[in-house]
């Protein structure tokens, strides 16, 4: 789930301008706060971990009692972080709601459990059916990424099951309002992943597509980090950041990793390569010579 946080943070860096290119060190914004989508995702993980197997009643437990609380978290984040955006607030809240399906797919032990516990909007939602399909698709995208860990096979399975196909070129599909906005969102996620080979490339491809929706980067970051991993230095930076700002969150994420069986959190600084001292001496000598 570190990729989820990295995606949200990276998008927030570009609230008023395009986010910077990524390098060895991840550009952490000092004013970034762990709320909105991240808070809802961590809350979902905690409830899942505290729910005994089988988790078939999880949907009623969480999305019956806490759906209004989650939507308030999303609305707060949207209003604070996207005042300059012309995007409809309700649509942005719905897209953030879609991102809560990511931890469902990550912690599910089978396809059946993933689909049974995927979140659901209220039945009075004007786009209930298509939103349910996109939620299921997001949960299964994360589940297949965890189980298969091969990009093309994951996208083929999603295309066969839900009918969404990535674009042949790295360009964003623009929704025509209504149901098409949700379908375009899912297609753009798949297009970004289809043209990427690492977490870094996936985040930068999202920017190249002209997308500024934080929920998009959360989902892409989570799936890409599951497929290709996270650079050790980035993992250390974001793990330390979460530890400093909310130690309870890091404990929940550690429990999540123990359940999934894959470790990304790194609270120990990565070791420098053996040649690092020699390289520094050579650079110092060359600077002195010229």
């Amino acid at each position: 789930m570190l990729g989820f946080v990295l995606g949200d943070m990276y998008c927030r860096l570009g609230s008023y301008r395009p986010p910077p290119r990524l390098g060895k060190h991840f550009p952490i914004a000092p004013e970034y706060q762990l709320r909105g989508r991240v808070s809802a995702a961590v809350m979902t993980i905690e409830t899942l971990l505290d729910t005994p197997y089988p988790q078939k009643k999880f949907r009623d437990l969480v999305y019956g009692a806490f759906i209004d609380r989650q939507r308030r978290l999303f609305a707060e984040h949207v209003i604070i972080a996207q005042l300059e955006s012309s995007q409809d607030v309700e649509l942005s809240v719905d897209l953030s709601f879609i991102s809560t399906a990511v931890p469902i797919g990550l912690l599910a032990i089978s396809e059946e459990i993933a689909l049974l516990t995927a979140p659901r909007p209220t039945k009075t939602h004007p786009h209930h059916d298509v939103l349910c399909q996109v939620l299921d698709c997001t949960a299964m995208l994360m589940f297949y990424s965890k189980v298969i860990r091969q990009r093309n096979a994951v996208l083929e399975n999603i295309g066969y099951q839900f009918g969404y196909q990535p674009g042949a070129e790295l360009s964003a599909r623009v929704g025509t309002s209504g149901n098409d906005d949700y379908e375009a969102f899912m297609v753009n996620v798949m297009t970004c992943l289809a043209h990427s080979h690492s977490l870094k490339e996936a985040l930068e491809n999202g920017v190249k597509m002209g997308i500024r929706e934080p929920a998009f980067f959360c989902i892409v970051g989570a799936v890409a980090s599951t497929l290709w991993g996270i650079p050790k230095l980035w993992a250390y930076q974001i793990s330390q950041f979460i530890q400093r700002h909310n130690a309870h969150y890091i404990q929940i994420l550690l429990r999540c990793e123990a359940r999934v069986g894959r470790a990304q959190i790194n609270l120990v600084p990565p070791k420098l390569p053996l040649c690092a001292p020699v390289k520094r001496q050579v650079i110092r000598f060359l600077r002195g010579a010229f």
Side-chain angles (χ1 to χ4, degrees):
M1 284 297 293
L2 290 185
F4 189 99
V5 183
L6 288 169
D8 188 61
M9 182 179 292
Y10 184 62
C11 183
R12 293 273 294 279
L13 289 170
S15 295
Y16 298 97
R17 62 186 183 282
R21 290 187 61 84
L22 296 169
K24 182 179 179 181
H25 295 268
F26 192 86
I28 295 179
E31 69 277 5
Y32 178 80
Q33 296 183 15
L34 298 165
R35 61 185 178 191
R37 282 161 290 275
V38 175
S39 297
V42 174
M43 181 181 72
T44 302
I45 291 172
E46 184 176 27
T47 309
L48 265 176
L49 293 173
D50 293 338
T51 304
Y53 284 110
Q55 297 168 328
K56 294 183 178 181
K57 294 185 179 180
F58 171 76
R59 181 184 295 165
D60 296 331
L61 290 173
V62 177
Y63 297 98
F66 297 111
I67 184 171
D68 289 335
R69 178 183 171 189
Q70 284 184 317
R71 290 182 70 84
R72 283 197 298 271
L73 285 170
F74 301 147
E76 169 193 298
H77 189 85
V78 168
I79 291 170
I80 292 174
Q82 289 198 319
L83 285 175
E84 77 285 356
S85 175
S86 60
Q87 186 181 39
D88 179 59
V89 171
E90 283 298 320
L91 174 60
S92 190
V93 171
D94 286 340
L95 297 182
S96 295
F97 183 56
I98 292 170
S99 68
T100 58
V102 169
I104 303 292
L106 180 65
L107 288 169
I109 59 175
S110 68
E111 295 181 39
E112 179 191 16
I113 294 295
L115 292 173
L116 283 172
T117 56
R120 284 290 178 267
T122 57
K123 292 183 179 180
T124 57
H125 194 286
H127 309 291
H128 178 271
D129 292 341
V130 68
L131 184 52
C132 288
Q133 179 171 322
V134 172
L135 285 161
D136 289 343
C137 181
T138 302
M140 295 310 299
L141 180 62
M142 192 66 192
F143 177 78
Y144 288 142
S145 299
K146 176 187 70 172
V147 174
I148 302 174
R149 300 197 72 180
Q150 208 286 327
R151 180 197 61 192
N152 292 342
V154 170
L155 297 180
E156 285 176 8
N157 273 299
I158 293 297
Y160 176 79
Q161 189 169 353
F162 297 97
Y164 299 126
Q165 298 293 337
E169 298 181 356
L170 186 64
S171 58
R173 172 182 162 183
V174 180
T176 58
S177 76
N179 291 348
D180 194 57
D181 285 336
Y182 301 94
E183 295 177 356
F185 175 79
M186 202 68 244
V187 168
N188 288 336
V189 168
M190 296 181 65
T191 300
C192 182
L193 293 170
H195 291 82
S196 305
H197 300 86
S198 67
L199 172 61
K200 174 181 179 293
E201 188 176 4
L203 294 177
E204 291 184 339
N205 280 345
V207 176
K208 292 177 183 177
M209 293 172 69
I211 298 175
R212 294 294 182 268
E213 172 55 49
F216 170 89
F217 285 91
C218 288
I219 297 172
V220 166
V223 174
S225 64
T226 304
L227 289 172
W228 301 298
I230 300 176
K232 291 183 179 180
L233 187 55
W234 288 15
Y236 172 70
Q237 286 181 271
I238 194 63
S239 299
Q240 288 288 340
F241 180 87
I242 298 173
Q243 174 78 3
R244 287 195 306 269
H245 288 77
N246 197 321
H248 180 59
Y249 279 9
I250 205 74
Q251 295 303 317
I252 295 172
L253 294 178
L254 284 169
R255 289 176 59 199
C256 174
E257 290 189 348
R259 173 74 65 85
V260 176
R262 290 183 184 150
Q264 291 182 340
I265 294 174
N266 179 21
L267 296 172
V268 179
K271 295 180 180 179
L272 293 173
L274 294 176
C275 61
V278 178
K279 182 179 179 180
R280 285 198 295 266
Q281 291 290 342
V282 171
I283 292 174
R284 190 178 296 115
F285 172 77
L286 292 176
R287 285 178 177 172
F290 298 98

